[in-house]
Amino acid sequence: MSDVRENLTYEKFGGAVRELAQTIADDGYQPDVIISIARGGVFVAGGLAYALDCKNIHLVNVEFYTGVGTTLEMPVMLAPVPNVIDFTDKKVLIADDVADTGKTLKLVHDFCLDHVAEVRSAVIYEKSQSLVKCEYVWKRTDDWINFPWSVEAPVVRRAGQVLDA
């Protein structure tokens, strides 16, 4: 893995989310539901929800990263898992900060696929090795990304938590 890092500031992030939302709007996609992949996707989903005037946001917790560039073998959806009945006949937008391997996005996408009218994905960053090619991407990079919410150490350090993921 390269030591080169993409540095995203809060200011740049705000512009990125707004541009991403404009791309979605210009495409004519109007999601009924935005599904946020926690943790980084929470910030993206919130910004997109405001910009796209969508008040129906759901959160999915997925565990995958164990450190910088290290992961579990497969991502795991943590409880509580959204009730798919809520999404029947809905147009869903999955929001995350980055499509790195794409395994997390694929897990959530496949979870939704047979239970919604349509599902699309939006990310700030997409890497070339991602299994999922998102419909909406702000920037493509293969560098590790320093997100503004994860570059500083937590105020409280919990045993077993990953610092940089």
Side-chain angles (χ1 to χ4, degrees):
M1 180 196 313
S2 168
D3 286 338
V4 177
R5 290 181 176 231
E6 172 87 21
N7 291 302
L8 184 67
T9 63
Y10 275 112
E11 185 177 346
K12 254 172 85 174
F13 170 73
V17 170
R18 195 74 185 175
E19 288 175 30
L20 192 59
Q22 189 64 60
T23 300
I24 295 164
D26 290 348
D27 192 40
Y29 192 64
Q30 296 181 344
D32 300 303
V33 177
I34 296 177
I35 295 182
S36 163
I37 299 178
R39 293 182 299 187
V42 171
F43 304 100
V44 180
L48 290 175
Y50 272 99
L52 297 172
D53 199 23
C54 178
K55 292 186 178 183
N56 197 353
I57 302 175
H58 288 263
L59 181 105
V60 175
N61 286 296
V62 179
E63 186 173 35
F64 187 48
Y65 277 90
T66 57
V68 177
T70 60
T71 63
L72 299 173
E73 189 173 319
M74 292 300 296
V76 177
M77 214 179 282
L78 304 176
V81 175
N83 184 345
V84 294
I85 295 170
D86 294 339
F87 304 130
T88 304
D89 300 324
K90 302 286 186 202
K91 290 179 10 181
V92 173
L93 180 67
I94 300 169
D96 205 358
D97 52 357
V98 60
D100 191 337
T101 64
K103 290 179 180 178
T104 299
L105 274 165
K106 184 172 178 3
L107 176 71
V108 177
H109 184 273
D110 291 352
F111 173 79
C112 292
L113 202 53
D114 294 331
H115 305 286
V116 302
E118 187 174 359
V119 61
R120 297 184 187 181
S121 299
V123 294
I124 300 297
Y125 292 100
E126 182 180 89
K127 297 192 178 184
S128 60
Q129 76 267 10
S130 177
L131 295 172
V132 173
K133 299 305 175 198
C134 298
E135 288 81 2
Y136 308 107
V137 178
W138 178 69
K139 185 175 180 184
R140 288 176 172 79
T141 185
D142 284 325
D143 297 335
W144 183 264
I145 299 116
N146 287 331
F147 287 100
W149 48 83
S150 63
V151 290
E152 293 186 41
V155 174
V156 175
R157 192 73 183 120
R158 294 170 150 207
Q161 296 294 320
V162 178
L163 177 60
D164 201 12

